[in-house]
Amino acid sequence: MEQPVTVGRAGRPPGGARETPEALGALDALVAEDLTARVTLDEQGRVTGWNAGAERLLGHPAARMLGRRAADLLAEPIPVRGGMPALAGLPRWNGDVALRHRDGRKLTVRILAHHRTTPATGAPAWLVVSALSDPTPRPGLDESLVSWSFAQSPCCAQAIYDTRLRLRRANADMERSTALTEEEMRGLRVCEIIDDAAGERAERSMARVLRTGEPSYDENYLQAPGEDHEHAWSVFMSALRDQEGTIRGVCLSAHDMTEQFWARKRLQLIAEAGRRIGSTLDVTRTAQELTDVTVPALADLAGVDLLAAPDDVPEPLVRALPAQGPLRLRRVALRSVTPGAPEAVVAVGGVDSYPVGSPPFESLRTGRPTVQGATDPALTAWLARDPARAARMRDLGVHAVLTVPLAARGTTLGVAFFVRYRNPDPFRHDDLVLAGELAARAAVSIDNARRYTRERATAVTLQRSLLPRRLPRQAAVEVASRYLPAGGHAGVGGDWFDVIPLSGARVALVVGDVVGHGLHASATMGRLRTAVRTLADIDLPCDELLTRLDDLVARLNTEEEGAGDPAGTSADVGATCLYAVYDPVSRHCCFAGAGHPLPAVVRPGGTADLIALPAAPPLGVGGLPYEATEVELPEGSLLALYTNGLVATRDRDIDAGVQRLREALARPADSLDALCDRVLTELLPQRPADDVALLIARTRALDANQVATWDVPCDPSAVARTRKDVVAQLERWGLSDAVFVTELVVSELVTNAIRHAEPPVRLRLIHDTTLICEVSDGGTTAPHLRRARSYDEGGRGLLLVARLTERWGTRQSATGKTIWAEQTLTLP
């Protein structure tokens, strides 16, 4: 059970700082404990505390009341709806209660009861208080206190105006804010006291308060007389009414919110910087965003100087500053309140030199921001050695310079500087903190941009080294190509294209796209491109080539899963691919796709159409076969193979992109290069979000007189006749110089086909930029080179063919195989 407590001890909040006995005694004497009746009750309504004021009110001493029920003191029930139980759920209750005095009198007492928790035990309890009359009369005190509180209030500037909006009273803060006394302002209107548009707005608001009786709120920005900066004021205007409710005047209360205003502006600037700085992964643009955010909000001139050029690929190293100076920094961003920044000594792209002791040098040396005024010795010493800069600063009236180092992840990047000459305020501590926060954000973004630029340049270099540097010479098609790396945040992807000469004057056209971006995608692209060239070299059919490529991608995925990647940079390998083989002899083109956009074809004089291919999954998915589609193309037809980055963008779906591609291809162009440029210009934004590969080919056809074909009987005696026919054909083509080698090649290939293969045997000569000799038979066994021993009677034929021709090989077909050999012709 609690013991009686004094007002001071009972009034101290739980958990407050412990007061000394002397301080508690002084507080008790100050507040006069017996002027308040204070009683504490437990949850059952029993008295646990009873002070001297309670004894004075009801006449009962504390010793007699402790432990008794408080309800015994009631002369009448408490006027609470629901009775006493309803009080248990209330945090507080107040009202008039009829109590019985010790002498039997009934007293009506106004009480305030707080439902609280006992500090010692945590049990719920009630604190009941009631104010008693002060035995020492002090007439007129309340009125005097009200008058003094108005005149001496330290929290706001106040003024009272009559119904004609003439000033009647002003407190001390109002006098200080206007630099006028109350007597000097009495009888004047607010617009006469403050010769500013803010005064006129305030008077109109006060007139509205007089008319409607509704309070009004406004914000003003004024410069007090004798001060060099503006103050932000929150102004409240409210009506003053008499006892009958008649409006007798207006009270104007102005709170100086300058600190809160600038704190709010700084937070808004930081929030804006978070939205604007680092919007791209471009070093120069990120630095420019820092200057754009800070001018004119923080400075009249802002710039960013970096230790290395923004287009340098290597990451800048943390280097020791030159002990004797100067420090050379490249300017990458500049912003001024004056268009063109004429006050800057060095323009964007130039190199500025900072000696030892200059603000930028000292910021980088110490790693801390520096603030210097126009008269600071360090600044004046620097300007004394730089007359041009000194003259420029003197003409503009520069009075404050703030420099902040730019550093991120332990790497020193450069320095940001801020200058004031129109803004009369010097840089204060809050400005220094704000500039440091903004510079830190910009430094991280600049460092991210540098790292991205370095990695992207590496990936682009790798990718370009893996793409064909020049397209091979071949007679089947005229080709032009374009490759554009991604210009956004995604990074370089794995798009590729290729033109592969095949046997029989044919050519393979390939376009593919590896899933993902970055070095991993570029490396995967190189592996797939090499695989395609290898598979194409053995003359696999289109559908079978994609099936083999699909198996390869599946194996790559298995290897990635088995090897793991602690750095977390690898991902599942996936790709799309379109493979086409065009034969200028038959003018047939075979297509097979693996989840890739459909090729477009423009026939002579016609429109651009898509070639319908069977639906097929991307490479690496597996489970479904790939099918080939063969179409006949007239000579001069255009084929367009591309990746989805060309037709699908963020603001355009792929169908709309394909339609625009068809329209661009259908219009005539002076050349294939011009056509490629037109397609890219009309379909792509300035900075495409994905890699783009485009390959356009115009088909050619070989005339019938450029091809000679003979069906050879399966009889060794037919070899001699065949040689004669070949010699005669070469004479008609004017290729007498090729007769000797061609006779040997034909004799060897035809003899092998008759002896070791199955009928039918067919010989074909193709005369184009080269001379191609092909022998087809019904067998499936491919020949191979071998080294003949000294006494072997055979085994040297293919070796002779390989030595006498530019290249040779074999390809399988549905009906057998073909052995071919190609000779380089000597041009006349």
Side-chain angles (χ1 to χ4, degrees):
M1 181 177 297
E2 289 188 14
Q3 298 300 318
V5 293
T6 65
V7 173
R9 292 179 177 85
R12 182 171 1 108
R18 184 175 297 278
E19 301 283 356
T20 64
E22 294 79 6
L24 291 175
L27 181 59
D28 290 344
L30 175 65
V31 301
E33 178 187 3
D34 60 354
L35 291 182
T36 300
R38 184 188 302 274
V39 178
T40 57
L41 310 174
D42 62 16
E43 193 69 4
Q44 287 73 40
R46 296 186 180 278
V47 177
T48 59
W50 188 273
N51 77 338
E55 181 176 352
R56 175 186 165 198
L57 176 64
L58 297 177
H60 298 285
R64 184 173 179 180
M65 291 305 301
L66 294 177
R68 291 185 55 184
R69 294 189 326 119
D72 296 342
L73 300 174
L74 294 175
E76 296 176 0
I78 295 178
V80 177
R81 181 178 297 179
M84 292 294 291
L87 290 175
L90 297 177
R92 192 181 72 179
W93 183 84
N94 65 289
D96 294 339
V97 177
L99 300 177
R100 187 70 62 187
H101 193 271
R102 181 179 181 184
D103 61 11
R105 290 180 292 117
K106 184 175 79 169
L107 301 176
T108 300
V109 180
R110 179 164 296 167
I111 69 170
L112 175 61
H114 298 277
H115 204 173
R116 64 178 190 168
T117 300
T118 303
T121 63
W126 285 90
L127 170 65
V128 183
V129 295
S130 179
L132 305 181
S133 60
D134 192 340
T136 304
R138 289 183 280 183
L141 178 61
D142 290 347
E143 290 75 12
S144 298
L145 289 174
V146 171
S147 177
W148 296 335
S149 69
F150 169 79
Q152 303 171 25
S153 173
C155 62
C156 65
Q158 286 186 310
I160 295 177
Y161 293 81
D162 59 22
T163 54
R164 293 189 179 274
L165 301 183
R166 303 285 175 167
L167 187 139
R168 309 304 302 172
R169 294 291 307 274
N171 71 352
D173 264 13
M174 182 62 76
E175 291 178 331
R176 283 191 294 271
S177 66
T178 59
L180 296 169
T181 65
E182 182 183 75
E183 284 301 320
E184 291 169 336
M185 293 185 289
R186 193 186 306 275
L188 296 178
R189 298 161 55 192
V190 65
C191 63
E192 296 168 342
I193 298 171
I194 302 175
D195 186 18
D196 188 89
E200 298 177 358
R201 290 197 305 270
E203 189 170 68
R204 288 194 296 269
S205 298
M206 292 165 64
R208 187 165 55 252
V209 171
L210 284 177
R211 185 173 61 253
T212 64
E214 297 293 329
S216 179
Y217 171 78
D218 196 7
E219 290 186 359
N220 293 325
Y221 308 96
L222 297 172
Q223 183 172 325
E227 296 192 1
D228 59 358
H229 63 280
E230 288 187 341
H231 287 253
W233 298 93
S234 295
V235 183
F236 295 87
M237 290 151 283
S238 57
L240 299 176
R241 292 180 169 87
D242 59 16
Q243 293 179 348
E244 287 76 24
T246 303
I247 297 177
R248 298 298 185 183
V250 178
C251 177
L252 183 148
S253 301
H255 296 261
D256 189 348
M257 307 294 290
T258 304
E259 291 300 322
Q260 295 89 328
F261 169 78
W262 286 114
R264 185 173 61 195
K265 294 288 286 184
R266 285 190 289 270
L267 289 175
Q268 290 174 347
L269 187 59
I270 290 174
E272 183 181 3
R275 292 191 299 269
R276 294 176 58 183
I277 296 177
S279 61
T280 67
L281 287 172
D282 181 87
V283 173
T284 301
R285 184 169 176 179
T286 301
Q288 188 62 48
E289 288 167 347
L290 171 62
T291 61
D292 292 344
V293 166
T294 53
V295 175
L298 179 63
D300 300 317
L301 173 68
V304 174
D305 295 344
L306 297 182
L307 287 168
D311 55 352
D312 285 350
V313 173
E315 184 176 2
L317 300 177
V318 180
R319 64 181 92 172
L321 297 183
Q324 303 300 323
L327 175 65
R328 296 174 62 82
L329 300 177
R330 185 177 298 278
R331 183 148 300 161
V332 297
L334 198 62
R335 181 64 183 268
S336 170
V337 293
T338 305
E343 62 270 45
V345 177
V346 176
V348 172
V351 176
D352 207 345
S353 179
Y354 297 110
V356 176
S358 62
F361 189 98
E362 293 305 308
S363 284
L364 289 177
R365 183 181 65 82
T366 62
R368 295 191 299 270
T370 63
V371 179
Q372 295 179 340
T375 59
D376 285 351
L379 185 61
T380 55
W382 173 37
L383 296 180
R385 290 176 285 173
D386 193 341
R389 196 186 306 269
R392 194 76 57 91
M393 295 179 67
R394 184 172 55 252
D395 293 342
L396 291 171
V398 172
H399 62 86
V401 177
L402 168 61
T403 57
V404 185
L406 297 173
R409 302 180 181 95
T411 300
T412 300
L413 302 172
V415 65
F417 62 86
F418 307 94
V419 177
R420 283 182 178 176
Y421 56 90
R422 286 190 185 176
N423 187 335
D425 295 339
F427 287 114
R428 295 182 172 85
H429 176 72
D430 290 341
D431 297 320
L432 187 146
V433 173
L434 175 61
E437 172 68 21
L438 298 179
R441 290 172 179 251
V444 171
S445 297
I446 289 174
D447 189 50
N448 289 340
R450 279 188 175 278
R451 291 168 182 263
Y452 166 77
T453 301
R454 185 186 68 252
E455 180 176 340
R456 184 175 184 275
T458 303
V460 169
T461 302
L462 172 63
Q463 188 172 41
R464 290 194 182 278
S465 69
L466 296 174
L467 291 173
R469 296 189 178 184
R470 62 180 62 87
L471 298 178
R473 296 181 57 186
Q474 40 76 43
V477 292
E478 176 192 359
V479 292
S481 63
R482 294 293 184 273
Y483 167 74
L484 292 180
H489 293 189
V492 178
D495 292 17
W496 90 92
F497 64 89
D498 212 343
V499 176
I500 308 172
L502 300 178
S503 63
R506 297 169 306 140
V507 65
L509 306 175
V510 191
V511 169
D513 185 0
V514 175
V515 175
H517 296 83
L519 289 174
H520 185 266
S522 296
T524 302
M525 178 271 288
R527 300 168 79 175
L528 295 185
R529 176 173 178 259
T530 301
V532 170
R533 293 186 69 89
T534 302
L535 295 174
D537 192 55
I538 60 176
D539 268 315
L540 287 181
C542 296
D543 50 355
E544 186 175 346
L545 183 143
L546 289 185
T547 300
R548 298 282 186 90
L549 201 60
D550 180 62
D551 293 340
L552 171 63
V553 173
R555 288 197 300 272
L556 292 177
N557 279 325
T558 303
E559 292 174 3
E560 294 284 352
E561 294 173 359
D565 183 20
T569 57
S570 67
D572 286 344
V573 178
T576 64
C577 184
L578 179 65
Y579 184 76
V581 174
Y582 173 69
D583 187 345
V585 177
S586 64
R587 299 192 300 278
H588 284 193
C589 190
C590 179
F591 297 91
H596 200 83
L598 297 177
V601 61
V602 183
R603 292 176 171 84
T607 58
D609 299 309
L610 298 182
I611 297 177
L613 301 181
L619 300 172
V621 175
L624 292 176
Y626 295 99
E627 300 180 44
T629 299
E630 190 168 303
V631 296
E632 184 175 355
L633 298 176
E635 183 177 7
S637 298
L638 287 179
L639 280 175
L641 284 66
Y642 51 91
T643 55
N644 62 354
L646 178 67
V647 292
T649 62
R650 291 190 181 96
D651 55 354
R652 184 185 66 216
D653 62 33
I654 192 169
D655 292 336
V658 169
Q659 180 58 35
R660 293 183 61 178
L661 172 63
R662 293 171 61 185
E663 294 171 358
L665 292 173
R667 301 198 304 274
D670 295 337
S671 65
L672 292 187
D673 284 318
L675 182 57
C676 286
D677 293 337
R678 177 206 297 165
V679 169
L680 297 184
T681 301
E682 295 186 5
L683 269 74
L684 293 180
Q686 186 175 3
R687 296 172 62 88
D690 196 5
D691 282 21
V692 174
L694 173 65
L695 183 64
I696 297 180
R698 178 180 284 117
T699 63
R700 295 168 176 164
L702 296 180
D703 293 336
N705 60 6
Q706 293 180 269
V707 181
T709 306
W710 296 272
D711 290 324
V712 181
C714 288
D715 184 348
S717 62
V719 175
R721 179 61 187 172
T722 303
R723 284 201 302 268
K724 293 181 182 179
D725 293 339
V726 167
V727 171
Q729 184 63 51
L730 293 179
E731 295 291 343
R732 286 193 292 272
W733 283 341
L735 300 178
S736 301
D737 293 341
V739 169
F740 176 72
V741 173
T742 306
E743 275 192 292
L744 287 177
V745 170
V746 168
S747 178
E748 176 61 30
L749 297 183
V750 171
T751 300
N752 283 347
I754 294 174
R755 286 183 177 180
H756 306 295
E758 299 178 5
V761 177
R762 173 172 292 183
L763 169 65
R764 184 171 71 166
L765 294 182
I766 301 174
H767 175 210
D768 192 40
T769 57
T770 61
L771 179 61
I772 302 171
C773 175
E774 296 182 343
V775 176
S776 303
D777 57 59
T780 58
T781 303
H784 60 277
L785 286 175
R786 66 184 181 88
R787 184 176 297 276
R789 291 187 295 270
S790 301
Y791 300 103
D792 287 349
E793 295 183 0
R796 297 176 179 83
L798 281 181
L799 183 60
L800 287 174
V801 171
R803 294 297 297 272
L804 293 174
T805 60
E806 183 71 21
R807 58 193 186 116
W808 75 280
T810 179
R811 65 174 182 268
Q812 300 291 329
S813 66
T815 58
K817 67 176 184 296
T818 299
I819 310 298
W820 57 271
E822 184 174 322
Q823 303 175 55
T824 301
L825 298 178
T826 302
L827 297 178

